[in-house]
């Protein structure tokens, strides 16, 4: 295998390897194996996922996004911000306002230095007040798809959220029969005031709590607004300590013009060697 250049990037604590694949340095049938190997922490570069930037006949670029377990996802909000900035840094997108194609549809983005604002695909599938028994708890769950499926559970205070067993309850919801066969991400949310939320997320595909999740933060903001708990714009404080800003319009027909805003930072540039891309992927936990 060729040595593969990449950027390590982070969006509010979600970290990604971003690869310029416009010239096919990684063949389509080799993406999953590379992702599973490269995302192993301590054994390779380590990341929550990998973004392959590819050519598109209509948009500035297309992407393929893979979670660390090798599963391909329709959308990732924090990854989208990193991909947009990557494209500007490399001149793939000639202007700060750009579009790119995902499995969830076309995405618009505006890059302003490290700050990136992306317009998300229209949310759908909102189901409030689902009663679910999981991890020996009776939960009131709200479901919405913000490009990928999300379950949202509100807790009564930030203190309760800090003590919450996100891994156990999140994993039980992620694999619960109510959300089969696709499964769901699971978000646990405390309302801070009418414009701010605090969130912790168990991510499908990473199979653990992550420091931030863009589509999860959007799901939390939209569900909270639907429940009359917040008004836009909504600041969502993530486990990394960074705050994502969710912009949207709400009317009787639903939610419109949903934007995710936050920083997209370059950590370093590197080159993947094949000697850390072989073998059986091991435990990714640090």
């Amino acid at each position: 295998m060729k040595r593969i250049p990449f950027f390590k990037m982070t969006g509010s604590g979600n970290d990604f390897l971003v690869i310029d694949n416009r010239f096919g340095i990684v063949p389509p049938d080799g993406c999953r194996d590379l992702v599973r190997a490269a995302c192993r922490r301590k054994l390779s570069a380590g990341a929550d996922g990998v973004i392959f930037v590819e050519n598109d006949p209509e948009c500035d670029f297309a992407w393929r996004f893979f979670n660390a377990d090798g599963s391909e996802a329709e959308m990732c909000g924090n990854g989208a911000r990193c991909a947009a900035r990557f494209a500007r840094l490399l001149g793939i997108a000639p202007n700060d306002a750009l579009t790119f194609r995902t499995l969830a549809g076309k995405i618009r983005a505006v890059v302003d230095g490290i700050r990136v604002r992306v317009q998300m695909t229209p949310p759908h599938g909102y189901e409030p007040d689902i009663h679910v028994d999981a991890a020996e708890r009776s939960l009131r769950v709200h479901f919405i798809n913000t490009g990928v499926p999300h379950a949202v559970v509100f807790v009564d205070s930030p203190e309760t959220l800090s003590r919450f067993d996100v891994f156990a309850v999140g994993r039980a919801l992620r694999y619960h029969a109510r959300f089969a066969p696709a499964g769901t991400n699971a978000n646990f949310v405390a309302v801070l005031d009418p414009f701010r939320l605090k969130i912790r997320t168990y991510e499908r595909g990473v199979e653990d709590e992550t420091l931030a999740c863009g589509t999860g933060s959007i799901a939390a903001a939209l569900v909270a607004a639907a429940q009359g708990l917040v008004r836009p714009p909504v600041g969502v404080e993530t486990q990394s300590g960074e705050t994502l800003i969710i912009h949207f319009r709400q009317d009787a027909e639903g939610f419109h013009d949903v934007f995710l805003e936050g920083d997209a930072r370059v950590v370093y540039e590197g080159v993947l060697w094949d000697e850390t891309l072989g073998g059986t992927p091991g435990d990714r936990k640090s």
Side-chain angles (χ1 to χ4, degrees):
M1 184 181 290
K2 298 176 181 177
R3 293 177 183 175
I4 300 169
F6 70 95
F7 276 32
K8 180 71 172 287
M9 300 189 70
T10 179
S12 302
N14 258 158
D15 60 338
F16 309 99
L17 309 182
V18 190
I19 295 172
D20 181 0
N21 204 37
R22 291 175 297 158
F23 305 103
I25 191 170
V26 182
D29 60 358
C31 290
R32 293 181 194 277
D33 287 343
L34 181 143
V35 169
R36 284 192 289 261
C39 287
R40 297 173 298 167
R41 301 193 188 274
K42 298 186 179 180
L43 295 173
S44 191
D48 290 330
V50 178
I51 298 164
F52 297 95
V53 171
E54 302 186 342
N55 292 312
D56 187 88
E58 298 176 348
C59 301
D60 290 292
F61 63 94
W63 87 347
R64 294 186 72 188
F65 176 83
F66 290 85
N67 293 306
D69 67 354
S71 60
E72 189 167 8
E74 301 91 335
M75 185 55 191
C76 172
N78 289 333
R81 292 187 293 106
C82 289
R85 186 168 182 228
F86 176 86
R88 283 296 290 130
L89 288 171
L90 270 66
I92 297 169
N95 302 304
D96 288 338
L98 58 92
T99 62
F100 63 99
R101 190 182 305 278
T102 74
L103 291 180
K106 292 182 182 178
I107 301 296
R108 290 194 298 148
V110 177
V111 180
D112 183 10
I114 67 170
R115 199 75 177 168
V116 182
R117 180 168 166 164
V118 293
Q119 183 175 22
M120 308 299 287
T121 55
H124 60 91
Y126 176 53
E127 295 183 62
D129 300 316
I130 305 168
H131 293 280
V132 175
D133 292 324
E136 301 181 349
R137 298 171 185 245
S138 181
L139 301 171
R140 180 186 177 204
V141 180
H142 311 278
F143 179 86
I144 193 168
N145 191 306
T146 55
V148 289
H150 281 276
V152 177
V153 176
F154 291 101
V155 301
D156 58 14
S157 70
E159 292 74 25
T160 300
L161 184 63
S162 69
R163 299 189 302 266
F164 201 86
D165 191 347
V166 169
F167 182 84
V169 182
R171 187 173 181 82
L173 283 174
R174 184 261 186 268
Y175 288 105
H176 198 280
R178 178 61 177 76
F179 306 110
T184 186
N185 301 278
N187 307 274
F188 306 94
V189 183
V191 179
L192 302 179
D193 62 40
F195 298 97
R196 294 189 303 140
L197 303 172
K198 186 171 178 62
I199 190 170
R200 295 177 65 187
T201 300
Y202 180 99
E203 280 203 54
R204 181 188 67 163
V206 179
E207 306 309 338
D208 205 346
E209 182 177 5
T210 55
L211 292 178
C213 175
T215 54
S217 295
I218 294 167
L222 298 186
V223 169
Q227 296 289 311
L229 302 173
V230 296
R231 301 188 300 274
V234 179
V236 182
E237 183 181 328
T238 66
Q239 193 70 349
S240 72
E242 293 192 33
T243 296
L244 295 169
I245 308 299
I246 316 301
H247 306 265
F248 58 91
R249 290 190 302 107
Q250 182 183 8
D251 59 26
E253 297 180 355
F255 298 101
H256 314 278
D257 300 329
V258 179
F259 286 85
L260 170 67
E261 180 183 348
D263 291 349
R265 300 174 184 270
V266 177
V267 182
Y268 58 81
E269 295 179 62
V271 179
L272 289 169
W273 286 34
D274 57 3
E275 61 196 62
T276 64
L277 295 176
T280 302
D283 185 3
R284 292 181 55 255
K285 282 192 176 182
S286 298

